[in-house]
Amino acid sequence: MNLEIKKKWIDALKSGEFKQGRHRLRQKESEGSSYCCLGVLCELASREGVINPVNQQADGEYFYDNSRTYLPPKVCHWAQITSIEDTYEVADINDRVNSFEEVIPFIEDNF
């Protein structure tokens, strides 16, 4: 993974700007949105102009580059992520733990 993007991703996860969510890159909450750790990476890619801004459907579902659960290929390419299996594993970890702080060690060691 590109080390500069990895640092931005970890910093964003630690920032407190993003509420942790599960099972979707981003989902609507009663007060704002929540994000999977991969959704945070998508949001960074969107802010950098790599992918279009998130698209919210009428039913409240959010999509990043036509994806709501998996990391879009454009984001993988931008971040230079070479193992799609690691993205599945980090999403699984995200869905089982209570904070991004518990996800960060896997990102540090595997990306």
Side-chain angles (χ1 to χ4, degrees):
M1 177 173 196
N2 177 292
L3 295 180
E4 182 179 324
I5 294 170
K6 180 178 176 176
K7 182 182 181 329
K8 288 180 182 180
W9 186 20
I10 291 170
D11 289 348
L13 293 172
K14 291 179 177 179
S15 72
E17 177 183 352
F18 301 95
K19 179 182 175 188
Q20 185 183 9
R22 291 170 177 75
H23 309 295
R24 299 280 188 274
L25 294 171
R26 180 176 174 180
Q27 54 193 343
K28 184 177 174 79
E29 300 279 328
S30 59
E31 296 181 20
S33 296
S34 63
Y35 300 78
C36 167
C37 62
L38 295 174
V40 173
L41 186 59
C42 287
E43 188 63 29
L44 296 177
S46 175
R47 292 175 184 182
E48 294 281 329
V50 175
I51 57 175
N52 289 327
V54 68
N55 179 16
Q56 184 179 9
Q57 302 294 308
D59 63 1
E61 289 284 342
Y62 288 97
F63 289 81
Y64 286 98
D65 208 35
N66 297 317
S67 180
R68 66 179 178 165
T69 55
Y70 296 109
L71 205 57
K74 286 181 185 177
V75 177
C76 287
H77 180 72
W78 166 73
Q80 299 173 14
I81 293 173
T82 56
S83 171
I84 198 70
E85 290 81 15
D86 284 342
T87 68
Y88 297 151
E89 190 164 351
V90 76
D92 183 57
I93 292 167
N94 180 89
D95 292 348
R96 289 186 281 119
V97 300
N98 295 317
S99 74
F100 287 139
E101 288 293 330
E102 296 176 83
V103 178
I104 290 170
F106 182 85
I107 294 170
E108 290 173 332
D109 293 343
N110 295 280
F111 285 90

